[in-house]
Amino acid sequence: MTLVPAAPKPAPNAARRTRRAWRVNPSAVVLVLVAAHVLLKLALLPIALRTPLQGDEVAYHAGAQALADAVRAFVSGHEISGSELQSAVIDRGWFMPGVSLTLTPLYLVAPDAGLEAARLYVGVLTLVVFLLGVRALARVAGRKYAAALLVFPGLVPLWVLFSYTSWGDLAAGLVLILLVAALVKVWRRLDGGEAVRIRDGALVGLLLISTLYLRSSVLPLVLAVLLLSVLTVVCRTRGASLVRSLASCAVAAATFVTLLFPWSYAVSQTFGSPVTTTTTVPISMAYAFGDHDELCFGPCRGGNPWYAMTDYAAEVAERTGQNELEVQQEISDHALRDVTLGSYAAAVLDNFDRYVLDPTGFEPLFRVPADTDDFVPRPPGPVSETIVWTTKIVFFSVLGLAALGILLVRRLPRVAQVVALLAGILGGALMSQPFVHVGSPRYWPVYAPMMALAAVGLLVRSDASASSVWLRRLQILVAVGWIAVLLGLALVAD
């Protein structure tokens, strides 16, 4: 017997309210992560503002200035200099015009914009696109995916620094977030027994061409998305819905081709030979996999090998009357003549090493003084070391989780299965670059969002009743494909 009465048990509804009170509000988490991303971006702004334009950035800004001059000339009724546009925008045919097009408004408003204005403009633009992508994916897949993207890559210091630069890799990765959201939205319509709308097809085509204009190496991804869309529609719809959905797929392809045509036509006319995106494939293959002592039918002159190869091809073409691109192909064939399957596989793995396993390789470029002529970085200090180690720890942690997310096929709800499938397929398509181009630690921002989307599937609760058997089979097929390619390279490589 006790003199202290026992506390009454809470009513079931009260108990549930108590548990809900302790739950974390997902919207609050997302807002906190957005704030953290913005604060990190502001904290790293001083580093970005003093980092000079380097490499491809210089060409992109020159193209943007030429485009802005052409727009001003057109508006004022003056003659547009076609030769200036060709020299600045097309030049050697190495770069797609997407980055220059996005920079053009800056030089329309401020023709003499300096380094600080350029970095700020790009930083604000990438922030807006990133948050739009996060919001779009949250609406169709859930706030868990938004939170994952805000953590990775949103809180990775080096990725945030890249978001101030004018290389097209990070921007293309941001557009891919919007593309995944659009494709998930299409899937949800199909899963609900509805047809794909024409406007959805047009949006997918627009996002695909935007990604390609920013990064030419995503062409395999474009083809994969178009093919996957048609196969999904054929498997999921019947009758009138099938016809309408296939028409939407046709609109996606037509939108893509229509917007690609002006660029392909201009480059093809410039070089007098058909060019779909850029002219770099022959010299890229030669430099990535060929004999470096035979890049110019022998050793090239000193300096940048890319410029040396194209300059030499132009000289040979002028002397022999051949087309310059034809000579580049002959140079490539000559440099690759002794390549074997084993040496090619070994070179691909070497490219993968730089493409995937060296995420901080470009950090020294953010230590280059703004007033330098030799682009020699300063010695690393506490801030740069913190950036490097934080980036490495987060990157490799997410890389491991992403690999596990692709290989571990679970009974997830259908939307989560679709996101995981898209992350595996699109990520795999982005991994095609090391097979045709030398790897670089600058490129990882293009596939970083796919890493996050593959990893976050591990946090989704299994639900066999809401899972799809045929989607799981496709996931298994994608996982087997990843294993087969990597294992095959390792076994064949010299």
mmCIF file of all heavy atoms in Angstrom, residues 232-259:
data_model
loop_
_atom_site.group_PDB
_atom_site.id
_atom_site.type_symbol
_atom_site.label_atom_id
_atom_site.label_comp_id
_atom_site.label_asym_id
_atom_site.label_seq_id
_atom_site.Cartn_x
_atom_site.Cartn_y
_atom_site.Cartn_z
ATOM 1 N N THR A 232 9.429 3.591 -70.922
ATOM 2 C CA THR A 232 8.514 3.665 -69.781
ATOM 3 C C THR A 232 7.083 3.884 -70.249
ATOM 4 O O THR A 232 6.143 3.249 -69.751
ATOM 5 C CB THR A 232 8.938 4.806 -68.832
ATOM 6 O OG1 THR A 232 10.282 4.592 -68.414
ATOM 7 C CG2 THR A 232 8.037 4.850 -67.612
ATOM 8 N N VAL A 233 6.910 4.781 -71.206
ATOM 9 C CA VAL A 233 5.571 5.056 -71.732
ATOM 10 C C VAL A 233 4.977 3.809 -72.383
ATOM 11 O O VAL A 233 3.802 3.461 -72.171
ATOM 12 C CB VAL A 233 5.638 6.226 -72.739
ATOM 13 C CG1 VAL A 233 4.376 6.273 -73.602
ATOM 14 C CG2 VAL A 233 5.824 7.540 -71.995
ATOM 15 N N VAL A 234 5.782 3.103 -73.176
ATOM 16 C CA VAL A 234 5.301 1.901 -73.854
ATOM 17 C C VAL A 234 4.891 0.826 -72.848
ATOM 18 O O VAL A 234 3.898 0.115 -73.046
ATOM 19 C CB VAL A 234 6.376 1.359 -74.825
ATOM 20 C CG1 VAL A 234 5.997 -0.024 -75.347
ATOM 21 C CG2 VAL A 234 6.571 2.324 -75.989
ATOM 22 N N CYS A 235 5.641 0.727 -71.757
ATOM 23 C CA CYS A 235 5.353 -0.314 -70.764
ATOM 24 C C CYS A 235 4.190 0.047 -69.833
ATOM 25 O O CYS A 235 3.556 -0.838 -69.269
ATOM 26 C CB CYS A 235 6.602 -0.592 -69.927
ATOM 27 S SG CYS A 235 7.949 -1.372 -70.839
ATOM 28 N N ARG A 236 3.922 1.343 -69.665
ATOM 29 C CA ARG A 236 2.972 1.761 -68.643
ATOM 30 C C ARG A 236 1.622 2.221 -69.177
ATOM 31 O O ARG A 236 0.687 2.399 -68.388
ATOM 32 C CB ARG A 236 3.575 2.902 -67.806
ATOM 33 C CG ARG A 236 4.800 2.519 -67.005
ATOM 34 C CD ARG A 236 4.470 1.611 -65.866
ATOM 35 N NE ARG A 236 3.512 2.191 -64.930
ATOM 36 C CZ ARG A 236 3.070 1.585 -63.839
ATOM 37 N NH1 ARG A 236 3.495 0.370 -63.558
ATOM 38 N NH2 ARG A 236 2.199 2.174 -63.044
ATOM 39 N N THR A 237 1.495 2.478 -70.465
ATOM 40 C CA THR A 237 0.244 3.025 -70.974
ATOM 41 C C THR A 237 -0.303 2.183 -72.121
ATOM 42 O O THR A 237 0.429 1.424 -72.764
ATOM 43 C CB THR A 237 0.430 4.480 -71.456
ATOM 44 O OG1 THR A 237 1.438 4.511 -72.471
ATOM 45 C CG2 THR A 237 0.833 5.383 -70.320
ATOM 46 N N ARG A 238 -1.568 2.363 -72.397
ATOM 47 C CA ARG A 238 -2.245 1.662 -73.477
ATOM 48 C C ARG A 238 -3.255 2.610 -74.129
ATOM 49 O O ARG A 238 -3.683 3.609 -73.544
ATOM 50 C CB ARG A 238 -2.991 0.420 -72.950
ATOM 51 C CG ARG A 238 -2.094 -0.673 -72.401
ATOM 52 C CD ARG A 238 -1.313 -1.376 -73.495
ATOM 53 N NE ARG A 238 -0.509 -2.468 -72.968
ATOM 54 C CZ ARG A 238 0.723 -2.344 -72.500
ATOM 55 N NH1 ARG A 238 1.288 -1.142 -72.465
ATOM 56 N NH2 ARG A 238 1.375 -3.391 -72.052
ATOM 57 N N GLY A 239 -3.638 2.290 -75.343
ATOM 58 C CA GLY A 239 -4.702 3.003 -76.028
ATOM 59 C C GLY A 239 -4.388 4.465 -76.278
ATOM 60 O O GLY A 239 -3.286 4.845 -76.671
ATOM 61 N N ALA A 240 -5.401 5.334 -76.024
ATOM 62 C CA ALA A 240 -5.248 6.770 -76.282
ATOM 63 C C ALA A 240 -4.157 7.391 -75.417
ATOM 64 O O ALA A 240 -3.440 8.296 -75.862
ATOM 65 C CB ALA A 240 -6.586 7.472 -76.038
ATOM 66 N N SER A 241 -4.016 6.904 -74.178
ATOM 67 C CA SER A 241 -2.970 7.429 -73.303
ATOM 68 C C SER A 241 -1.584 7.148 -73.874
ATOM 69 O O SER A 241 -0.671 7.973 -73.767
ATOM 70 C CB SER A 241 -3.085 6.819 -71.908
ATOM 71 O OG SER A 241 -4.254 7.249 -71.262
ATOM 72 N N LEU A 242 -1.423 5.986 -74.484
ATOM 73 C CA LEU A 242 -0.148 5.638 -75.105
ATOM 74 C C LEU A 242 0.173 6.602 -76.242
ATOM 75 O O LEU A 242 1.309 7.101 -76.346
ATOM 76 C CB LEU A 242 -0.189 4.198 -75.622
ATOM 77 C CG LEU A 242 1.027 3.729 -76.438
ATOM 78 C CD1 LEU A 242 2.289 3.789 -75.603
ATOM 79 C CD2 LEU A 242 0.798 2.316 -76.961
ATOM 80 N N VAL A 243 -0.821 6.895 -77.062
ATOM 81 C CA VAL A 243 -0.601 7.803 -78.193
ATOM 82 C C VAL A 243 -0.227 9.195 -77.690
ATOM 83 O O VAL A 243 0.733 9.814 -78.186
ATOM 84 C CB VAL A 243 -1.856 7.857 -79.083
ATOM 85 C CG1 VAL A 243 -1.688 8.910 -80.178
ATOM 86 C CG2 VAL A 243 -2.133 6.495 -79.695
ATOM 87 N N ARG A 244 -0.982 9.700 -76.703
ATOM 88 C CA ARG A 244 -0.688 11.045 -76.174
ATOM 89 C C ARG A 244 0.680 11.085 -75.496
ATOM 90 O O ARG A 244 1.426 12.064 -75.633
ATOM 91 C CB ARG A 244 -1.779 11.469 -75.194
ATOM 92 C CG ARG A 244 -3.115 11.781 -75.852
ATOM 93 C CD ARG A 244 -4.013 12.573 -74.909
ATOM 94 N NE ARG A 244 -4.355 11.791 -73.725
ATOM 95 C CZ ARG A 244 -5.415 11.007 -73.634
ATOM 96 N NH1 ARG A 244 -6.236 10.867 -74.671
ATOM 97 N NH2 ARG A 244 -5.680 10.347 -72.528
ATOM 98 N N SER A 245 1.024 10.040 -74.767
ATOM 99 C CA SER A 245 2.304 10.019 -74.067
ATOM 100 C C SER A 245 3.477 9.921 -75.043
ATOM 101 O O SER A 245 4.507 10.569 -74.855
ATOM 102 C CB SER A 245 2.338 8.849 -73.081
ATOM 103 O OG SER A 245 1.344 9.004 -72.083
ATOM 104 N N LEU A 246 3.316 9.110 -76.091
ATOM 105 C CA LEU A 246 4.370 9.033 -77.110
ATOM 106 C C LEU A 246 4.510 10.366 -77.844
ATOM 107 O O LEU A 246 5.623 10.770 -78.215
ATOM 108 C CB LEU A 246 4.067 7.911 -78.094
ATOM 109 C CG LEU A 246 4.294 6.483 -77.587
ATOM 110 C CD1 LEU A 246 3.878 5.470 -78.647
ATOM 111 C CD2 LEU A 246 5.765 6.266 -77.200
ATOM 112 N N ALA A 247 3.398 11.052 -78.056
ATOM 113 C CA ALA A 247 3.465 12.380 -78.662
ATOM 114 C C ALA A 247 4.257 13.338 -77.771
ATOM 115 O O ALA A 247 5.039 14.168 -78.273
ATOM 116 C CB ALA A 247 2.053 12.914 -78.902
ATOM 117 N N SER A 248 4.089 13.213 -76.463
ATOM 118 C CA SER A 248 4.844 14.057 -75.534
ATOM 119 C C SER A 248 6.334 13.735 -75.593
ATOM 120 O O SER A 248 7.180 14.639 -75.521
ATOM 121 C CB SER A 248 4.323 13.865 -74.108
ATOM 122 O OG SER A 248 2.968 14.257 -74.017
ATOM 123 N N CYS A 249 6.662 12.447 -75.718
ATOM 124 C CA CYS A 249 8.071 12.059 -75.886
ATOM 125 C C CYS A 249 8.642 12.658 -77.174
ATOM 126 O O CYS A 249 9.793 13.113 -77.209
ATOM 127 C CB CYS A 249 8.209 10.543 -75.903
ATOM 128 S SG CYS A 249 7.838 9.729 -74.330
ATOM 129 N N ALA A 250 7.827 12.642 -78.238
ATOM 130 C CA ALA A 250 8.260 13.228 -79.501
ATOM 131 C C ALA A 250 8.486 14.729 -79.361
ATOM 132 O O ALA A 250 9.425 15.290 -79.935
ATOM 133 C CB ALA A 250 7.233 12.935 -80.589
ATOM 134 N N VAL A 251 7.638 15.392 -78.580
ATOM 135 C CA VAL A 251 7.810 16.824 -78.332
ATOM 136 C C VAL A 251 9.106 17.082 -77.575
ATOM 137 O O VAL A 251 9.818 18.053 -77.866
ATOM 138 C CB VAL A 251 6.596 17.379 -77.552
ATOM 139 C CG1 VAL A 251 6.879 18.779 -77.022
ATOM 140 C CG2 VAL A 251 5.369 17.403 -78.447
ATOM 141 N N ALA A 252 9.429 16.219 -76.601
ATOM 142 C CA ALA A 252 10.688 16.362 -75.859
ATOM 143 C C ALA A 252 11.882 16.275 -76.811
ATOM 144 O O ALA A 252 12.792 17.113 -76.767
ATOM 145 C CB ALA A 252 10.791 15.290 -74.773
ATOM 146 N N ALA A 253 11.868 15.261 -77.674
ATOM 147 C CA ALA A 253 12.970 15.096 -78.633
ATOM 148 C C ALA A 253 13.010 16.254 -79.619
ATOM 149 O O ALA A 253 14.093 16.767 -79.949
ATOM 150 C CB ALA A 253 12.812 13.766 -79.371
ATOM 151 N N ALA A 254 11.837 16.699 -80.084
ATOM 152 C CA ALA A 254 11.789 17.791 -81.053
ATOM 153 C C ALA A 254 12.280 19.103 -80.436
ATOM 154 O O ALA A 254 12.985 19.882 -81.090
ATOM 155 C CB ALA A 254 10.366 17.951 -81.584
ATOM 156 N N THR A 255 11.903 19.354 -79.198
ATOM 157 C CA THR A 255 12.373 20.559 -78.501
ATOM 158 C C THR A 255 13.887 20.547 -78.385
ATOM 159 O O THR A 255 14.560 21.563 -78.651
ATOM 160 C CB THR A 255 11.744 20.643 -77.097
ATOM 161 O OG1 THR A 255 10.325 20.655 -77.215
ATOM 162 C CG2 THR A 255 12.207 21.889 -76.368
ATOM 163 N N PHE A 256 14.415 19.399 -78.015
ATOM 164 C CA PHE A 256 15.865 19.270 -77.882
ATOM 165 C C PHE A 256 16.565 19.512 -79.223
ATOM 166 O O PHE A 256 17.498 20.311 -79.314
ATOM 167 C CB PHE A 256 16.203 17.873 -77.340
ATOM 168 C CG PHE A 256 17.674 17.584 -77.298
ATOM 169 C CD1 PHE A 256 18.450 18.046 -76.257
ATOM 170 C CD2 PHE A 256 18.285 16.853 -78.312
ATOM 171 C CE1 PHE A 256 19.811 17.795 -76.222
ATOM 172 C CE2 PHE A 256 19.638 16.596 -78.286
ATOM 173 C CZ PHE A 256 20.401 17.072 -77.239
ATOM 174 N N VAL A 257 16.116 18.830 -80.265
ATOM 175 C CA VAL A 257 16.764 18.929 -81.571
ATOM 176 C C VAL A 257 16.625 20.333 -82.149
ATOM 177 O O VAL A 257 17.582 20.900 -82.703
ATOM 178 C CB VAL A 257 16.184 17.880 -82.543
ATOM 179 C CG1 VAL A 257 16.700 18.101 -83.959
ATOM 180 C CG2 VAL A 257 16.534 16.470 -82.070
ATOM 181 N N THR A 258 15.448 20.918 -82.010
ATOM 182 C CA THR A 258 15.204 22.257 -82.552
ATOM 183 C C THR A 258 16.132 23.294 -81.933
ATOM 184 O O THR A 258 16.682 24.160 -82.629
ATOM 185 C CB THR A 258 13.737 22.668 -82.329
ATOM 186 O OG1 THR A 258 12.882 21.718 -82.967
ATOM 187 C CG2 THR A 258 13.464 24.054 -82.881
ATOM 188 N N LEU A 259 16.333 23.215 -80.608
ATOM 189 C CA LEU A 259 17.182 24.189 -79.932
ATOM 190 C C LEU A 259 18.662 23.877 -80.093
ATOM 191 O O LEU A 259 19.501 24.766 -79.937
ATOM 192 C CB LEU A 259 16.807 24.250 -78.445
ATOM 193 C CG LEU A 259 15.402 24.794 -78.173
ATOM 194 C CD1 LEU A 259 15.079 24.752 -76.685
ATOM 195 C CD2 LEU A 259 15.261 26.224 -78.707
#
